Amino acid sequence: MNGRTGLRMAAGAAAGVAVLAGVRAIRAAAHGPNGAHAAHAPGGARAAHDGGRRTYTRSITIYRSPREVYEFWRNLTTLALAVERVLQVEPLDDTRSRWVIDGPANTEIVFTADIVTDEPAEVLAWRAEDSPVPHEGRVEFAEAPGARGTEVRVWLSYEPPVGGLGAAVARLTGDEPDQLLREGLRRVKQVLECGEVIRVEGQPSGRGRLAERITELVDHRVAAGGRS
Amino acid sequence: MKALCWEGVNELSVEQVPDPPILNAQDAILKVLASSVCGADLHLIDGYMPGMRDGDILGHEFLGEVVEVGPGVRGLTVGQRVVVASPIGCGGCWYCQHGAWSLCDNSNPTVGMAEKMWGHSPAAVFAYSHVLGGFAGSHAEYVRVPFADHNAFRVPEALPSDSAVFASDSVPTGWLAADLCGIVGGDVVAVWGAGAVGQMAARSATLMGAGRVIVIDRFDYRLAAARENLGVETLDYTEVDVLEALNEITAGRGPDRCIEAVGMEAHEPGLGYAYDRVKQALRMHTDRPSAIRQAILACRKGGTVSMVGSFAGAVDKFPLGAFMNKALTLRTGQQPGQHYIPHLLQRMAAGEIKPGYLNTHPLPLEDGPRGYDLFKNKRDACLRAVFHPSAFHPAAA
């Protein structure tokens, strides 16, 4: 996309925030998490259980200016570097964008994200009401003291679908919303600070295929970090 | 390719494994020319460090020839001979940007375990368990180096690989140990441990202006190596009372700076089952005093203790009273190799630091298990075994 269109797209990219937090949560939620999540929600994230609604907050410090971090979030091209599983995203107008996400079992999740607050270098908030998992979110950018960069705080709230077997699978594979949120924050931090998300899957080892797969699953489970 | 793998506690074997691919744009692949054993590996081999998995490739102190670079690598080209820092830095986080490379925020892709054990995750380290990233190690024909522009350093031509390989870890760790001490002219420096790191710490202390350097160990041949190669004094703790001897040497003051270069004798990896194993191991090692405890008791009032041996968990009976009442400073860390290596390679090229004598056992990779046996059991006057998976043919580069 060219510069002008790029800006327009970026303007529609509150969905980017949704991708970071909400969408990944949606994908996980589409596995069918049940109430057990909220009951055992990690202490570091203030997870509330309000009539079945889930709310998560997570934060990370990124060694870049608030302006730079904000702009990264607003730009679909850069955001795509940090986010997995987005099949397609298109701007609908200045505040709305349409997202297609790779769902579980080869399904596609389609929804529209609508920016409700946009204060450059300070805050972005969005809402997605036509989603299979309606959600809203907010991300704040604050200058960290001592020239440490930017403190990024994400707040995410959604209505999980009716629970099911998928929840256990999601937890096992690490596809649960809070972990996805922490993982997403780390990915954005890495892309902004050092240009890529470091990988270890695919390295050589003396393990057989099955043992290697198990190792990758365990590594993935501990990939996210963040207080839990 | 061939690789030396950890196959369970005290089980090593050379296995046929896939070659390492480029996984990130900033990766480089090296053909490994020299890869050293390290005392820290023993904690992995003996099962004291959690997070090892059967089949992990060992080795974190190495030098090699660049054979492939990812599209994001700017400063390296195929054919160059480079030495690589053991901790992996991303180059862009606040820590790397401030020279604290071993505290990198981004290089560990599996931060969860470290955060549980330690509160936060430091940098990843090559082949240092899945707590620190699970990166495949260098005891192999080829190794992948992430963020290669930041972690691989060109080796001056005059330096042979068997000496330059120690710029990867032993030399910078020794340098860090002395640097943390804040040595001022004439200081008396005592070093616990005459392994490669202790030897390099002693040399670094001398270069930084120490008045006297005393190395403490129980292996004669290691103490002799320190005396002969570094011109320092030595104490055999099985023959003398170390605290008394150090007080006598300093006329009652105690050493100004004390360096611990031994590592975890007592630790708790944070998991109950592992703790029991450690306690068991402790009973097996009751003849070895805790070096850090002794260093704190020996150090002069207001002095500095610098700890560069590896620890993983918690220790028992840490002498907090001596530490507090003598107003000591304790400093520690994994080496920020990227911060030191360029300068240390220059000193090595100038002959100020000559670590080549540490390589007592150059071996082919196939002899990996035997190399660790020699090293661990201090057989055949082994200071370090260095494996040579491939030969360097600069003409072909």
Side-chain angles (χ1 to χ4, degrees), chain B residues 59 152 230 287 306:
Chain B
L230 311 174
D287 59 317
S306 146

Side-chain angles (χ1 to χ4, degrees), chain B residues 9-66:
Chain B
V9 174
N10 280 316
E11 271 182 56
L12 300 177
S13 73
V14 177
E15 302 283 339
Q16 196 66 35
V17 305
D19 288 355
I22 298 266
L23 293 174
N24 283 99
Q26 299 178 57
D27 286 355
I29 305 293
L30 304 191
K31 181 169 81 174
V32 181
L33 306 174
S35 183
S36 177
V37 304
C38 171
D41 292 335
L42 301 180
H43 311 317
L44 308 176
I45 293 170
D46 296 346
Y48 292 169
M49 178 80 187
M52 289 297 287
R53 307 238 168 84
D54 292 8
D56 282 344
I57 302 169
L58 290 175
H60 62 252
E61 185 162 6
F62 62 100
L63 173 150
E65 177 191 340
V66 179

Side-chain angles (χ1 to χ4, degrees), chain A residues 61 63-64 146-149 182 186 189-190 193-207 211 214-216 218-220 222-228, chain B residues 1 17-18 20-21 23-26 53-57 90 92-94 97-98 105-112 115-116 119-120 130 133-136 144 146-147:
Chain A
T61 302
Y63 190 48
R64 290 289 181 269
R148 252 65 162 194
R182 286 180 284 147
R186 269 190 65 80
K189 174 180 168 73
Q190 288 182 55
E193 290 185 345
C194 58
E196 63 188 18
V197 178
I198 188 79
R199 286 183 54 188
V200 279
E201 310 84 13
Q203 292 189 116
S205 81
R207 286 178 281 276
I214 292 168
T215 293
E216 285 177 8
V218 174
D219 281 350
H220 179 210
V222 298
R227 292 287 174 272
S228 63
Chain B
M1 68 171 181
V17 305
L23 293 174
N24 283 99
Q26 299 178 57
R53 307 238 168 84
D54 292 8
D56 282 344
I57 302 169
C90 78
C93 69
W94 185 84
Q97 292 274 309
H98 288 77
D105 264 347
N106 294 321
S107 61
N108 186 356
T110 58
V111 293
E115 289 186 349
K116 280 263 192 277
H120 301 89
H130 291 255
F135 284 90
R144 163 206 179 207
F147 304 113

Side-chain angles (χ1 to χ4, degrees), chain A residues 105-127:
Chain A
N106 290 324
T107 57
E108 289 185 357
I109 300 171
V110 184
F111 66 95
T112 307
D114 193 359
I115 296 179
V116 293
T117 309
D118 181 359
E119 295 167 23
E122 287 184 12
V123 61
L124 274 169
W126 76 96
R127 194 173 289 149

Side-chain angles (χ1 to χ4, degrees), chain B residues 34-38 41 58-63 138-139 165-166 170 196 358-359 372 375 383-387:
Chain B
S35 183
S36 177
V37 304
C38 171
D41 292 335
L58 290 175
H60 62 252
E61 185 162 6
F62 62 100
L63 173 150
S138 58
H139 294 340
V165 65
F166 298 112
S170 314
L358 300 171
N359 181 4
Y372 273 100
F375 175 61
L383 265 168
R384 281 292 178 93
V386 175
F387 307 123

